[in-house]
């Protein structure tokens, strides 16, 4: 795969992820009954819903800044994966398998986006004892 195609896939995924989690974060902060009621039904406290909304909106801002804050983007991806995994587990236990389809779709989309992120921005680590990149 060429770098150009990897960038196209990454930015498409980043935009879709931002729309998905941006809408979710907005709905959590505005107490949209659909999102709010489902989250409460899953057993999460109301204060957590606000924190989740703020985290999602902050994360998508970082995700959409091109070629900057790469380490922080790693944290954003980690947070998104945690959100998806917890949503999947919560829905599986409370709603049942049919309630997990959105989490499976989100996990697939974010995984492909993250893989393209790693292809575009390969990680280089510096061995502090030798000063050599690994």
């Amino acid at each position: 795969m060429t770098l150009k195609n990897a960038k196209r896939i990454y930015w498409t995924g980043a935009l879709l992820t931002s729309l998905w989690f941006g809408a979710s974060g907005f709905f959590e902060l505005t107490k949209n009954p659909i999102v709010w009621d489902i989250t409460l039904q899953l057993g999460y406290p109301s204060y957590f819903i606000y924190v989740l909304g703020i985290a999602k909106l902050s994360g998508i801002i970082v995700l959409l800044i091109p070629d900057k804050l790469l380490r922080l983007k790693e944290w954003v991806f980690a947070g998104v994966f945690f959100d998806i995994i917890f949503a999947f587990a919560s829905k599986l236990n409370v709603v049942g398998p049919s309630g997990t389809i959105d989490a499976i779709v989100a996990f697939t989309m974010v995984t492909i986006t993250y893989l393209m992120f790693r292809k575009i921005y390969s990680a280089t680590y510096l061995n502090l004892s030798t000063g050599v990149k690994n």
Side-chain angles (χ1 to χ4, degrees), residues 7 46 82 97-98 118:
K7 285 184 178 185
S46 56
F82 287 132
S98 63
R118 294 296 348 135

Side-chain angles (χ1 to χ4, degrees), residues 10-133:
Y10 167 73
W11 281 109
T12 300
L15 289 171
L16 290 173
T17 299
S18 296
L19 286 171
W20 188 314
F21 286 89
S24 175
F26 175 78
F27 292 148
E28 287 161 349
L29 291 178
T30 59
K31 283 183 94 169
N32 178 287
I34 296 170
V35 173
W36 192 266
D37 293 346
I38 290 171
T39 310
L40 290 175
Q41 178 189 359
L42 295 175
Y44 294 100
S46 56
Y47 69 85
F48 180 74
I49 301 171
Y50 288 117
V51 172
L52 197 56
I54 291 168
K56 287 178 182 178
L57 294 177
S58 301
I60 65 161
I61 290 169
V62 170
L63 198 61
L64 293 174
I65 297 172
D67 302 322
K68 301 275 188 233
L69 305 172
L70 300 180
R71 177 87 46 152
L72 193 53
K73 284 182 200 228
E74 291 274 353
W75 284 72
V76 169
F77 278 112
V80 168
F81 279 118
F82 287 132
D83 179 80
I84 294 168
I85 290 166
F86 289 129
F88 177 84
S90 299
K91 289 180 178 183
L92 184 62
N93 286 309
V94 176
V95 180
S98 63
T100 63
I101 294 169
D102 61 337
I104 293 168
V105 171
F107 185 83
T108 303
M109 175 184 68
V110 175
T111 299
I112 292 168
T113 303
Y114 179 72
L115 291 172
M116 294 303 106
F117 173 77
R118 294 296 348 135
K119 184 165 181 60
I120 296 166
Y121 305 104
S122 60
T124 55
Y125 300 98
L126 183 64
N127 185 333
L128 295 178
S129 63
T130 63
V132 176
K133 289 184 180 180

